[in-house]
Amino acid sequence: MAKPNFAGQYLWFSPRASYVQKYTGPLKPHDDGFRAMFVMSVIFGKHYLKSIITEYEENVLPKYLIIYKGNFENFEKQEIL
């Protein structure tokens, strides 16, 4: 959930894992770099920039939880599909 602004407060989703990666952090302190992200189906949302936004949790369906570890120094140059 994004912080409220002049347009309201929304849940943001991206079809690109490389974009979402910027908003993830370590699962626990000192956990050796493991991170997590959900794969979700957005049932109702609006396209905004290169993302999909929706106001309500009820508009999304969680499908998978991915826990991963990678080389994040060069992550911006990689593409995960």
Side-chain angles (χ1 to χ4, degrees):
M1 182 70 73
K3 294 179 181 177
N5 62 24
F6 67 91
Q9 187 173 15
Y10 295 97
L11 296 156
W12 289 72
F13 301 91
S14 174
R16 297 181 59 146
S18 59
Y19 186 75
V20 175
Q21 162 61 31
K22 298 174 188 178
Y23 296 94
T24 65
L27 291 177
K28 297 184 279 185
H30 313 294
D31 69 353
D32 217 13
F34 286 96
R35 296 176 180 224
M37 71 173 68
F38 280 98
V39 175
M40 312 279 274
S41 289
V42 180
I43 297 164
F44 180 77
K46 302 174 192 174
H47 289 275
Y48 182 75
L49 301 174
K50 294 183 179 181
S51 301
I52 300 170
I53 61 172
T54 186
E55 292 182 74
Y56 306 106
E57 293 176 8
E58 294 83 3
N59 293 339
V60 298
L61 179 64
K63 296 181 96 176
Y64 306 101
L65 170 62
I66 299 173
I67 298 175
Y68 63 99
K69 181 178 178 181
N71 178 0
F72 301 112
E73 293 174 12
N74 298 318
F75 192 81
E76 292 299 319
K77 298 175 186 174
Q78 300 174 8
E79 179 63 29
I80 298 174
L81 299 176

